[in-house]
Amino acid sequence: MTETAEPRVSRTRILADLTPLRTSPDYRRLWFGNTVSWIGQGMTALAVSLQVYDITGSAFSVGLIGLCSLVPLVLLGLYSGAVADTVDRRKLGLVSATGSFLLSLVLAAVTFAGVQHVGLLYVVVALQAVCFALNSPARSSMIARLLPAEQLPAANALNAMTSTTGGLAGPMLGGLIVGWWGYRAAYTVDAVTFTASLYAMWRLPSMLPGRGEGEKTAKRASVLDGLRFLGTRPNLRMTFFSDLSAMVLAHPRALFPVVAVVWFGGDARTTGLLVAAPALGALLGSVFSGWLGRIHRHGLAVLVAVACWGGAVALFGLTRQLWPGLVLLALAGCADSVSMVFRNTMLQAAVPDEMRGRLQGVFIVVVAGGPRLGDLVAGSVADLTSPAVAVTGGGLACVLVVCLLGLRWRGFARYDARDPQP
């Protein structure tokens, strides 16, 4: 009996910890609904890009889709967090998810009607970003209310699995559905998948901000109060600084089309492999995340993970063979997944409940703006020097900066999840 039980324990420790799904029906419904809706949103994102290109024949017009989603996320990120700290988060999540559902229906309806207007697609994409900006802080703030603190790393690993699965499976399914049945089918499927998220939100209990059961905030939450709180909490600031050092300095995504041809002698399919490799690494990091629950030094884990991201990117800039390059990008994606799990856990465990929405709002701004700024930095450095300098130099700069940050704020490396201090 002992000999057969031991391997089972080992596998349990390696694979993702499913305890949050087993112990909390509310979290289980929320996770399943989010997973299904993320896949649907990935399908819609690809379908909109393909439809805009079909209408305009312009790559620039397709690029404007990203701007239409980025601007609302950055502008509304901080404010939406303040809203989540003022109202019932369940109602805010339900209203914003309903908005996303209705927008998917609009896309399906206008496509069934034969309307071909790129401006309408831009407006819908922008409104979808508004709904996401409102929904994300509310949804993220709920997790710490649904689960005990010791289950937060496992829950965040499962949430990372949701986003990476949506990022991988959504576009693939979207391409197949558009190819077989057209845009209307993709938008209709997206609308149907959103019903899972709506049902999960509807079944949640009331989520009024504040520690007390049913406690209401006395006044509208202030964005400035949230920023002042962040300004006096070095450990929380470091979660953002460390992520920005990775996303701004060592984010080679914008150079993938160039390096696919110049370094690897490939084409668009090679570019697709380069784009998919970090996402696949992040997914594998989430699947094999069972060991994360045994880590208590979350700050040190973030520093190591970000340094591993930068190191893997720097080595990728030195390789000229495709498969080793893909492995390095997958390792970078895995490291980013680990960093994200611990950063999210710190934001949930070390932040008072009445401040969680506003800190999640800052998180949205960093996550949305950091990679876009990183694209600009990588492209600019590559134009001034070379893609190799931009990629390898950026990776090394990331490692250097995160080490300097760790030396400057030494308390971050000593952060202990058993006594979370912001």
Side-chain angles (χ1 to χ4, degrees), residues 172-183 185:
M172 288 191 295
L173 289 174
L176 291 174
I177 291 175
V178 169
W180 289 338
W181 298 298
Y183 301 116

Side-chain angles (χ1 to χ4, degrees), residues 43-54 62 65 107 121-122 124-125 128 178 183 187:
M43 293 169 47
T44 289
L46 180 72
V48 169
S49 298
L50 293 174
Q51 190 171 12
V52 167
Y53 187 75
D54 279 349
V62 176
I65 297 173
L107 285 174
L121 295 176
Y122 288 153
V124 172
V125 167
Q128 285 177 329
V178 169
Y183 301 116
Y187 298 143

Side-chain angles (χ1 to χ4, degrees), residues 51-401:
Q51 190 171 12
V52 167
Y53 187 75
D54 279 349
I55 295 172
T56 65
S58 167
F60 176 75
S61 298
V62 176
L64 286 178
I65 297 173
L67 184 63
C68 290
S69 62
L70 174 63
V71 172
L73 287 175
V74 172
L75 293 181
L76 290 177
L78 296 177
Y79 178 75
S80 63
V83 174
D85 284 340
T86 302
V87 303
D88 186 341
R89 290 165 182 162
R90 170 189 173 271
K91 291 181 180 178
L92 179 60
L94 189 59
V95 169
S96 54
T98 301
S100 296
F101 167 72
L102 294 176
L103 289 168
S104 295
L105 287 181
V106 168
L107 285 174
V110 298
T111 308
F112 271 106
V115 177
Q116 296 282 322
H117 196 290
V118 69
L120 177 60
L121 295 176
Y122 288 153
V123 170
V124 172
V125 167
L127 292 175
Q128 285 177 329
V130 170
C131 291
F132 179 82
L134 291 171
N135 185 272
S136 184
R139 187 180 65 246
S140 299
S141 302
M142 295 174 184
I143 305 301
R145 296 276 289 270
L146 297 175
L147 298 169
E150 63 270 16
Q151 293 183 20
L152 291 179
N156 285 312
L158 292 170
N159 294 340
M161 195 183 304
T162 290
S163 58
T164 51
T165 299
L168 284 172
M172 288 191 295
L173 289 174
L176 291 174
I177 291 175
V178 169
W180 289 338
W181 298 298
Y183 301 116
R184 64 186 69 177
Y187 298 143
T188 302
V189 171
D190 181 27
V192 172
T193 61
F194 249 108
T195 59
S197 182
L198 287 172
Y199 175 74
M201 288 284 182
W202 179 68
R203 288 290 305 273
L204 288 174
S206 176
M207 289 279 179
L208 290 166
R211 292 288 185 184
E213 192 69 28
E215 176 186 346
K216 296 183 180 180
T217 49
K219 60 180 181 178
R220 180 171 296 277
S222 167
V223 172
L224 291 178
D225 286 345
L227 294 176
R228 292 190 192 99
F229 175 83
L230 181 61
T232 59
R233 303 306 193 271
N235 287 334
L236 297 180
R237 289 201 309 273
M238 274 291 291
T239 65
F240 297 116
F241 290 161
S242 58
D243 186 48
L244 285 172
S245 67
M247 294 298 100
V248 176
L249 298 175
H251 197 253
R253 178 184 61 186
L255 302 179
F256 285 163
V258 176
V259 303
V261 176
V262 175
W263 293 359
F264 305 121
D267 51 18
R269 289 171 294 184
T270 308
T271 303
L273 290 174
L274 295 175
V275 172
L280 179 60
L283 179 60
L284 292 175
S286 302
V287 171
F288 297 99
S289 61
W291 58 278
L292 297 182
R294 301 196 298 274
I295 305 297
H296 301 295
R297 298 281 292 278
H298 289 183
L300 180 60
V302 169
L303 294 175
V304 172
V306 173
C308 288
W309 162 277
V313 170
L315 290 174
F316 170 73
L318 298 176
T319 186
R320 295 299 178 268
Q321 296 184 3
L322 180 60
W323 289 109
L326 293 175
V327 170
L328 288 168
L329 289 177
L331 290 174
C334 182
D336 183 51
S337 176
V338 172
S339 168
M340 187 278 298
V341 166
F342 289 123
R343 286 185 289 109
N344 265 345
T345 301
M346 292 174 72
L347 287 175
Q348 291 163 345
V351 177
D353 184 70
E354 64 272 12
M355 283 285 180
R356 284 192 185 122
R358 277 164 284 187
L359 270 294
Q360 289 295 331
V362 176
F363 182 80
I364 288 179
V365 174
V366 171
V367 169
R372 273 74 175 187
L373 185 56
D375 291 342
L376 177 62
V377 170
S380 300
V381 174
D383 279 346
L384 293 173
T385 56
S386 69
V389 171
V391 177
T392 299
L396 293 176
C398 169
V399 175
L400 176 61
V401 168

Side-chain angles (χ1 to χ4, degrees), residues 8-22:
R8 188 178 299 114
V9 172
S10 177
R11 284 195 297 271
T12 301
R13 290 179 178 175
I14 293 174
L15 295 177
D17 185 357
L18 304 182
T19 302
L21 297 177
R22 290 195 297 265

